[in-house]
Amino acid sequence: ALTNPEARFWYHMYGATMGSLSVYASTDGGTTWSASLWNQSGDQQDQWREAIIDMSAYAGATSVIVRFEGTTGTSFTSDMAIDDFCVQEAPACPSPLALTVDSLNTTTAVISWTAGGTEILWGVEYGATGFALGSGTTLTPSAESVNLSGLTAATGYDVYVQAACATDQSTWIGPLSFV
């Protein structure tokens, strides 16, 4: 039994008439189900996104069934998929989520992410496409976005982000690549 469980999976929801995807749990073999633990609806663009669900309400349980429920949209113009599902012990310092390029011009880029836990500081490292972590330019923002300036026009870049918690650091997420 896990003491601080979380569920993780990747999802893809693309199309003009996308429906919704919900996740539920049961501890009695599927006789009864929880309220929705996670829900996403509508077009999420043509990309895979990671979802992390706090399952601490099921800490110590010896048997939990997880159910995914996909509801179709109004037409056939949508595709939904899930992949790489697991239930595991939550890390002490969760990684940030949803690393995104918010704006980009020839010499600057605004990068944002969502906090994975209660962290209030992050490490950001960036460099030319393919650079090795530890050899790039580092920043330590206290907000969930950062402005990268002084970039070279028409050059590819990779960006990684790491959460800094009170006593630990998360694993790096990325690379997020852009030109």
Side-chain angles (χ1 to χ4, degrees):
L2 300 174
T3 58
N4 188 24
E6 69 177 12
R8 285 180 175 253
F9 63 96
W10 289 83
Y11 66 96
H12 188 269
M13 298 172 67
Y14 178 56
T17 60
M18 177 55 60
S20 63
L21 178 62
S22 299
V23 179
Y24 304 90
S26 173
T27 56
D28 60 9
T31 301
T32 60
W33 293 93
S34 67
S36 177
L37 301 174
W38 180 91
N39 181 277
Q40 186 66 263
S41 61
D43 181 18
Q44 302 301 307
Q45 304 301 314
D46 191 11
Q47 61 186 325
W48 285 91
R49 299 175 185 263
E50 186 177 24
I52 301 172
I53 303 170
D54 177 3
M55 302 284 288
S56 59
Y58 303 96
T62 56
S63 176
V64 177
I65 298 172
V66 176
R67 178 180 79 189
F68 288 83
E69 180 180 83
T71 304
T72 60
T74 58
S75 179
F76 64 90
T77 56
S78 60
D79 291 310
M80 182 185 306
I82 59 171
D83 195 12
D84 201 19
F85 172 77
C86 71
V87 176
Q88 63 187 22
E89 195 69 44
C93 186
S95 296
L97 305 166
L99 186 56
T100 306
V101 177
D102 287 332
S103 65
L104 180 64
N105 69 35
T106 56
T107 61
T108 65
V110 176
I111 310 298
S112 68
W113 56 90
T114 302
T118 58
E119 72 273 19
I120 57 170
L121 290 174
W122 293 269
V124 174
E125 187 169 346
Y126 68 97
T129 300
F131 84 97
L133 272 170
S135 67
T137 301
T138 59
L139 302 168
T140 54
S142 59
E144 295 173 49
S145 68
V146 66
N147 185 7
L148 308 180
S149 58
L151 303 175
T152 303
T155 300
Y157 286 90
D158 285 346
V159 180
Y160 294 84
V161 178
Q162 177 184 56
C165 300
T167 60
D168 199 5
Q169 294 177 324
S170 74
T171 58
W172 289 96
I173 62 164
L176 172 65
S177 300
F178 63 91
V179 177

